[in-house]
């Protein structure tokens, strides 16, 4: 692959999904990512056939090591000697007990950026606890109560804290430390918790609290979902007055005097207003409304499946999805004018590149 991180070496210890996502993101930016899978159970025969392509495994090579043996630990540390970034997602203390913790790894490679990604972080009474998305969002304020009803905000899809919050925050931290290393010549530990990232992306909620009335909630009639006649849904996010007016125009509500539209600024009127809008959407199928709203900016978008999303003209124009093997997957997100990233590589079989990497990394770094 090409990309702005070409030449950067990342050693990833297989573990949690957020950790794998960090490897996928860095690989998509051009880094040479090597994943350490556990041996021998993780090393099937290479002629056993490839499993379905997994976007959380793509674009890297795989080394199978027995991390419970002195030989396996020594091989892992030798790889760390030639890495720029190490990423592990064990619960706090596990890597240290194995013998691949930051103190040992940085002693072997002082320039190493050692990334630790865990649910609650290395400090505090909850450090060793499981951290599932809903609990992390709840504790960090990301599900803060609805300003009018006092009820918790309905939780979003389960990757908000783990991927959007924790993993992405970890990528930013790793790249910042890599940049700082160019000045100091020294690596450091980058410790990120999913809870850190979840709290950070909840900044908008704090802004809502700081600026009364400046918020969006999922039961507002202008910021919610509506079913079309065929049972398929559309999302409406018509926050600005111009978008809201376009919404009413396309639904035929603006000129319909019989509708007697309630004031959307009054939450007490929301149920009535929502019912009026819902009734209009229910008169035609989703395809009709997609065509009607495609030419006007009204904050309306169809709720698509993953397969449908890949075919939408806006996402197709951006190249938001790419073919990896026989599957269509999300493409690396950023676009670089001078150092564009190449197409992601296929997911490796566990241990597929053990011999190649154990000899090749050391030789290439000389």
């Amino acid at each position: 692959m090409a990309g702005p991180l070409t030449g950067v070496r990342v050693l990833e210890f297989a573990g949690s999904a957020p950790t794998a996502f960090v490897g996928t993101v860095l690989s998509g930016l051009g880094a040479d990512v090597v994943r350490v899978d556990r041996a021998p159970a993780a090393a099937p025969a290479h002629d056993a056939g490839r499993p379905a392509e997994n976007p959380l495994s793509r674009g890297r090579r795989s080394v199978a090591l027995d991390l419970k043996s002195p030989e396996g630990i020594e091989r892992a540390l030798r790889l760390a000697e030639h890495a720029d970034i190490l990423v592990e997602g064990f619960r706090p203390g596990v890597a240290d007990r194995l013998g691949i913790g930051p103190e040992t790894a940085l002693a072997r490679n002082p320039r190493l950026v050692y990334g630790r990604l865990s649910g609650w972080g290395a400090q505090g009474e909850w450090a060793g606890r499981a951290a599932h998305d809903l609990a992390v969002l709840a504790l960090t304020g990301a599900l803060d109560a609805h300003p009018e009803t006092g009820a918790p905000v309905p939780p979003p899809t389960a990757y908000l804290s783990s991927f959007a919050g924790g993993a992405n925050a970890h990528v930013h931290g790793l790249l910042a430390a890599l940049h700082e290393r160019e000045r100091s010549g020294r690596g450091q530990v980058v410790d990120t918790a999913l809870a850190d990232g979840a709290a950070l992306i909840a900044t908008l909620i704090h802004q809502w609290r700081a600026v009364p009335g400046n918020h969006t909630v999922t039961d507002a009639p202008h910021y919610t979902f509506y079913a079309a006649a065929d049972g398929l849904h559309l999302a409406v996010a018509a926050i600005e007055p111009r978008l809201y007016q376009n919404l009413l125009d396309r639904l035929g509500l603006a000129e319909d005097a019989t509708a007697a539209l309630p004031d959307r600024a009054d939450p007490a009127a929301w149920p009535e207003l929502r019912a009026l809008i819902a009734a209009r959407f229910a008169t035609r199928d989703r395809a009709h409304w997609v065509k009607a709203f495609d030419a006007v900016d009204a904050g309306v978008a169809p709720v698509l499946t993953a397969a449908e999303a890949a075919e939408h003209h806006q996402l197709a124009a951006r190249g938001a999805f790419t073919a990896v093997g026989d599957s269509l997957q999300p493409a690396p997100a950023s676009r670089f004018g001078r150092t564009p990233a190449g197409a992601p590589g296929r997911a490796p079989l566990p241990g597929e590149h053990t011999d190649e990497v154990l000899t090749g990394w050391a030789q290439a770094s000389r």
Side-chain angles (χ1 to χ4, degrees):
M1 291 184 64
L5 292 186
T6 296
V8 173
R9 295 178 171 189
V10 179
L11 185 63
E12 170 200 344
F13 285 87
S16 66
T19 304
F21 184 61
V22 170
T24 294
V25 171
L26 294 175
S27 171
L29 295 174
D32 178 9
V33 179
V34 168
R35 185 184 67 212
V36 176
D37 288 303
R38 297 192 179 190
H46 292 174
D47 60 357
R50 287 187 174 274
E53 287 294 340
N54 181 355
L56 288 180
S57 295
R58 75 187 188 196
R60 69 259 274 160
R61 294 180 287 173
S62 169
V63 172
L65 298 178
D66 182 2
L67 297 182
K68 293 184 178 181
S69 73
E71 180 184 15
I73 293 300
E74 176 59 27
R75 286 182 170 181
L77 290 172
R78 287 179 184 173
L79 291 175
E81 289 178 0
H82 304 286
D84 297 293
I85 296 172
L86 184 152
V87 180
E88 56 98 340
F90 304 118
R91 291 194 183 186
V94 172
D96 305 85
R97 290 195 296 271
L98 288 173
I100 53 173
E103 183 176 351
T104 304
L106 285 165
R108 302 281 285 259
N109 179 3
R111 288 175 54 83
L112 181 67
V113 173
Y114 191 107
R116 320 191 80 166
L117 180 61
S118 61
W120 301 107
Q123 294 79 34
E125 296 180 8
W126 285 20
R129 290 191 182 185
H132 295 297
D133 204 76
L134 185 61
V136 172
L137 293 175
L139 193 73
T140 55
L143 301 181
D144 195 7
H146 182 296
E148 276 76 36
T149 67
V153 174
T157 306
Y159 46 70
L160 187 61
S161 77
S162 54
F163 282 29
N168 270 327
H170 198 47
V171 170
H172 299 159
L174 294 172
L175 295 182
L178 195 66
H179 175 72
E180 191 278 336
R181 191 185 70 174
E182 296 305 306
R183 296 195 298 271
S184 66
R186 299 175 61 192
Q188 60 182 301
V189 177
V190 178
D191 180 13
T192 308
L194 303 188
D196 300 339
L200 182 61
I201 61 175
T203 299
L204 183 59
I205 291 177
H206 293 273
Q207 189 262 353
W208 293 345
R209 296 299 183 189
V211 184
N214 185 10
H215 60 263
T216 55
V217 290
T218 54
D219 64 344
H222 54 274
Y223 201 83
T224 189
F225 302 99
Y226 291 98
D230 53 6
L232 301 178
H233 288 78
L234 297 104
V236 172
I239 300 172
E240 297 88 337
R242 176 178 59 85
L243 272 61
Y244 184 61
Q245 186 60 49
N246 288 340
L247 170 70
L248 300 181
D249 289 342
R250 289 287 164 155
L251 290 174
L253 287 171
E255 72 279 3
D256 188 351
T258 64
L261 290 181
D263 182 5
R264 73 161 177 166
D266 180 9
W270 284 358
E272 182 184 357
L273 181 55
R274 189 184 309 109
L276 289 170
I277 296 174
R280 288 303 172 96
F281 272 115
T283 62
R284 307 296 292 268
D285 62 20
R286 190 184 70 177
H288 168 86
W289 295 120
V290 167
K291 184 177 181 180
F293 283 102
D294 201 40
V296 64
D297 190 4
V300 176
V303 179
L304 302 178
T305 65
E308 290 171 334
E311 297 177 355
H312 190 274
H313 61 81
Q314 175 59 35
L315 299 182
R318 287 287 299 170
F321 292 84
T322 187
V324 180
D326 297 329
S327 70
L328 199 61
Q329 301 177 8
S334 298
R335 309 291 185 266
F336 299 91
R338 187 170 52 81
T339 58
R346 298 187 64 164
L349 292 170
E352 183 175 348
H353 307 95
T354 300
D355 294 338
E356 170 189 323
V357 171
L358 289 177
T359 57
W361 255 24
Q363 293 176 354
S365 64
R366 292 171 182 168

